[in-house]
Amino acid sequence: MRYFARKVGFFVLTLWAVVTLNFMIPRLQPGDPAELMVQNLVGKNAQLNRAQVEAMRDLLGAPSGSLFSQYWNYLGQLIQGNLGISYTYFPYSVAEVIGMAFWWTVILVGAVQVLSFAIGILLGAFAAWRRNSRFDTSVTVISTFVGTLQPFWIALLLIYGLGYGLGWFPTAGGYEASTPGFNGAFIYDAVSHAFLPALTLMIVTPIGWILGMRNTMIMNLGEDYIRLARAKGLPDRMIALRYAARNALLPSVAGFALALGGVLGGTILVETVFDYPGLGRLMGEAVGIKDYPLLQGLMLLTAVVTLVANLIADLLYGILDPRARRAAA
């Protein structure tokens, strides 16, 4: 019980630090967003009108008062789910803009991460069990080579080959002619548009799971309990799955949770290349246009999801490995 209480306590403390940093960092940025928006409207070389800047500041709901009062108001707004107004998609709120892009990224990258984890764990475990075989050598060499390739470079190759060359799949966007909704035409349209981004991620994301699982399981195969299991005449299948692979899987559980958290911000380049309407492309736009409220909301969402995923991994780790609970007692 003490183990779980400590993990929850660390989560609450880290969450407070993340929220505080998310409040402070945008306020350390040079420049005034209201001045920037007015300057964009009137032209780069035009003289700024202070009345227009103040009007824009009021329109955007720019914070005022002391830093402490701003922090207090910020916490109150967070509790109400109010993340401010997006400068880029005005007059939509940041929560509305993120909500429109959220499920595109979660469905695409979440499905890819789950499939990559399953494929990587299976290939890594089998390669370790068949260590120094032709299969192990092939998997290791191919994984090492593919791991050096950049996702955006693979994306460009797929666009050129499968998109423009063969014309099998759309090369940009999330859908084209169908009406958004839960209907067959839209689902088919969305899946065909998501195929190339998903394939790009599927090529590179299993690499870490394959090599990590292989190396961890090879170390476990040299442990005394594996030798004892072999000496007792247990079947190879039972030794591989119940003893070696099970123990080797524990470090990957924590890594998988962190990878899920990174889903929200780790696909900026891929979504930008395919013009995919997800959170990665949204973050790229927010950085380029200096949409601070939107960038702040995306960073907060990414950090909170990562922390929650990490907390779930810690709790699962304590359930799967009793030694972790005893060490914390």
Side-chain angles (χ1 to χ4, degrees), residues 115-161:
L115 284 175
S116 298
F117 179 76
I119 293 171
I121 292 299
L122 289 175
L123 287 179
F126 193 72
W129 186 249
R130 301 295 183 189
R131 186 183 182 185
N132 296 327
S133 66
R134 187 174 298 175
F135 177 81
D136 177 34
T137 304
S138 301
V139 167
T140 304
V141 171
I142 294 173
S143 299
T144 304
F145 171 72
V146 174
T148 61
L149 304 178
Q150 292 296 322
F152 73 89
W153 188 76
I154 297 174
L156 293 175
L157 285 181
L158 292 178
I159 288 175
Y160 178 76

Side-chain angles (χ1 to χ4, degrees), residues 2-325:
R2 185 177 178 182
Y3 169 84
F4 297 108
R6 284 185 61 185
K7 294 300 178 184
V8 173
F10 282 133
F11 168 77
V12 174
L13 185 63
T14 311
L15 181 62
W16 170 79
V18 166
V19 169
T20 304
L21 283 175
N22 201 50
F23 166 79
M24 292 298 298
I25 289 175
R27 285 158 177 78
L28 298 176
Q29 297 281 343
D32 184 346
E35 288 185 2
L36 183 63
M37 289 194 68
V38 173
Q39 194 74 69
N40 289 336
L41 290 173
V42 300
K44 289 185 178 179
N45 299 322
Q47 185 71 28
L48 283 178
N49 185 319
R50 299 310 306 172
Q52 292 177 337
V53 174
E54 290 300 325
M56 180 62 74
R57 191 172 286 122
D58 293 338
L59 190 64
L60 296 175
S64 58
S66 67
L67 195 62
F68 179 78
S69 66
Q70 291 182 31
Y71 182 62
W72 189 252
N73 292 332
Y74 169 74
L75 293 179
Q77 290 173 347
L78 273 187
I79 293 174
Q80 298 171 9
N82 182 5
L83 299 175
I85 303 295
S86 169
Y87 300 163
T88 311
Y89 295 92
F90 183 84
Y92 289 100
S93 68
V94 170
E96 289 174 319
V97 175
I98 291 177
M100 287 187 283
F102 181 78
W103 291 110
W104 289 97
T105 291
V106 168
I107 293 174
L108 170 68
V109 190
V112 168
Q113 287 287 357
V114 172
L115 284 175
S116 298
F117 179 76
I119 293 171
I121 292 299
L122 289 175
L123 287 179
F126 193 72
W129 186 249
R130 301 295 183 189
R131 186 183 182 185
N132 296 327
S133 66
R134 187 174 298 175
F135 177 81
D136 177 34
T137 304
S138 301
V139 167
T140 304
V141 171
I142 294 173
S143 299
T144 304
F145 171 72
V146 174
T148 61
L149 304 178
Q150 292 296 322
F152 73 89
W153 188 76
I154 297 174
L156 293 175
L157 285 181
L158 292 178
I159 288 175
Y160 178 76
L162 301 182
Y164 293 118
L166 298 175
W168 288 353
F169 301 100
T171 57
Y175 60 96
E176 195 166 358
S178 55
T179 303
F182 194 74
N183 57 75
F186 175 71
I187 292 174
Y188 174 78
D189 199 11
V191 169
S192 62
H193 279 78
F195 185 84
L196 289 184
L199 182 59
T200 302
L201 296 172
M202 278 295 298
I203 290 174
V204 294
T205 46
I207 304 302
W209 305 123
I210 293 173
L211 298 178
M213 183 66 184
R214 176 188 177 277
N215 295 337
T216 307
M217 188 165 165
I218 285 176
M219 288 192 293
N220 283 337
L221 288 173
E223 297 290 338
D224 291 339
Y225 67 91
I226 296 294
R227 296 193 187 97
L228 178 61
R230 283 176 170 151
K232 292 175 68 175
L234 295 180
D236 286 348
R237 182 185 180 88
M238 179 181 291
I239 296 174
L241 297 179
R242 182 173 293 183
Y243 296 99
R246 183 179 176 182
N247 288 326
L249 188 61
L250 289 175
S252 298
V253 172
F256 178 66
L258 292 175
L260 282 180
V263 159
L264 301 181
T267 59
I268 296 176
L269 290 177
V270 173
E271 289 190 359
T272 302
V273 169
F274 288 101
D275 196 25
Y276 193 78
L279 295 174
R281 191 191 70 173
L282 206 59
M283 187 174 287
E285 288 179 355
V287 172
I289 308 174
K290 297 183 180 179
D291 188 342
Y292 295 138
L294 182 56
L295 185 60
Q296 193 176 9
L298 289 168
M299 290 173 63
L300 181 64
L301 176 66
T302 303
V304 170
V305 171
T306 303
L307 286 177
V308 171
N310 197 29
L311 174 65
I312 293 173
D314 283 341
L315 298 181
L316 283 177
Y317 202 88
I319 295 172
L320 295 174
D321 189 356
R323 293 173 297 181
R325 297 198 301 271

